[in-house]
Amino acid sequence: MADVPAPGYITGLLARADGGDNAAIEELFPLVYGQLRLAAEYALRREATGHTLQATALVHEAYLKLVGSGPIPARNRAHFLGIAARAMRQILVDHARRRRAGKRGGGVRAATLDIDPADPAAPADDVIALDDALDRLSAVSDRLRRVVELRFFAGLSEEEIAETLGVTTRTVQRDWAKARAWLYREMYPADDREADDPT
């Protein structure tokens, strides 16, 4: 079994990697692989059965995306996992867009989005709609968008999200409630609900 790195060791590697140290980047991957794999499995649980991406492929693709885009500006392990969650979100959305474009008619759905962003069983086809809603949420509050992204795509705990964002756990809880309410209103517009109401 691999030795557990001393506290602060990964933070030191991230600082070196941010400075362009390729040896630090190579050393970092095996140390964070298990956590990235858990985040990938968490993200893929929301995907449809038979999804062509597997957790290992998602981890490797996200890691290549991170190291291929230049220095990794992560302050610590939790911050790095947050950056990785964003990379995984982008990969899953790109994958969903390619799948949708490959379907006859472009896969455009006329129905209202039926997704609860907190539901682990959210349909894969709604990943694109959630991504679009998160982009709109970012214009309202980037921190709220990041809380959803870290919880929904990476499966980070409230404590890990607080550490990543430099806020208290209570702030994360409030932000999660606000973001969820905002996304619900965005994804279930009142006029659509009234149109569906037969009374």
Side-chain angles (χ1 to χ4, degrees):
M1 174 173 267
D3 293 332
V4 176
Y9 188 74
I10 289 177
T11 301
L13 283 177
L14 287 166
R16 287 174 39 209
D18 191 30
D21 184 340
N22 288 333
I25 292 171
E26 289 177 22
E27 189 178 348
L28 179 66
F29 185 63
L31 296 175
V32 296
Y33 178 80
Q35 292 165 312
L36 291 176
R37 171 94 187 189
L38 286 174
E41 288 171 358
Y42 186 86
L44 288 170
R45 277 199 313 238
R46 292 173 168 73
E47 298 297 311
T49 305
H51 193 282
T52 56
L53 269 179
Q54 299 299 319
T56 301
L58 182 56
V59 167
H60 286 271
E61 216 173 309
Y63 195 79
L64 289 173
K65 187 177 186 75
L66 290 173
V67 299
S69 61
I72 304 170
R75 296 182 303 271
N76 53 40
R77 180 192 61 80
H79 188 216
F80 175 78
L81 290 174
I83 294 169
R86 184 157 181 81
M88 287 183 198
R89 170 187 163 200
Q90 291 166 347
I91 291 163
L92 289 171
V93 169
D94 289 346
H95 185 75
R97 287 187 198 284
R98 284 192 303 272
R99 261 192 347 216
R100 189 170 77 174
K103 291 180 182 176
R104 202 157 104 198
V108 176
R109 296 173 6 160
T112 303
L113 176 64
D114 187 18
I115 184 173
D116 176 352
D119 182 359
D125 290 343
D126 293 333
V127 170
I128 295 169
L130 175 61
D131 182 63
D132 292 342
L134 285 174
D135 286 343
R136 292 189 299 276
L137 177 59
S138 188
V140 174
S141 169
D142 191 55
R143 190 175 78 200
L144 293 183
R145 187 257 320 149
R146 290 180 68 198
V147 166
V148 174
E149 196 170 69
L150 292 169
R151 186 158 178 180
F152 190 79
F153 286 93
L156 294 185
S157 69
E158 291 172 346
E159 293 77 16
E160 289 171 318
I161 295 169
E163 181 185 347
T164 299
L165 300 180
V167 297
T168 66
T169 303
R170 183 69 188 123
T171 298
V172 170
Q173 292 166 346
R174 282 192 302 265
D175 284 354
W176 174 244
K178 284 182 204 172
R180 233 179 125 190
W182 189 93
L183 286 169
Y184 188 85
R185 285 191 305 272
E186 189 73 9
M187 294 175 163
Y188 298 99
D191 52 341
D192 286 346
R193 288 198 304 273
E194 289 166 6
D196 292 339
D197 187 356
T199 57

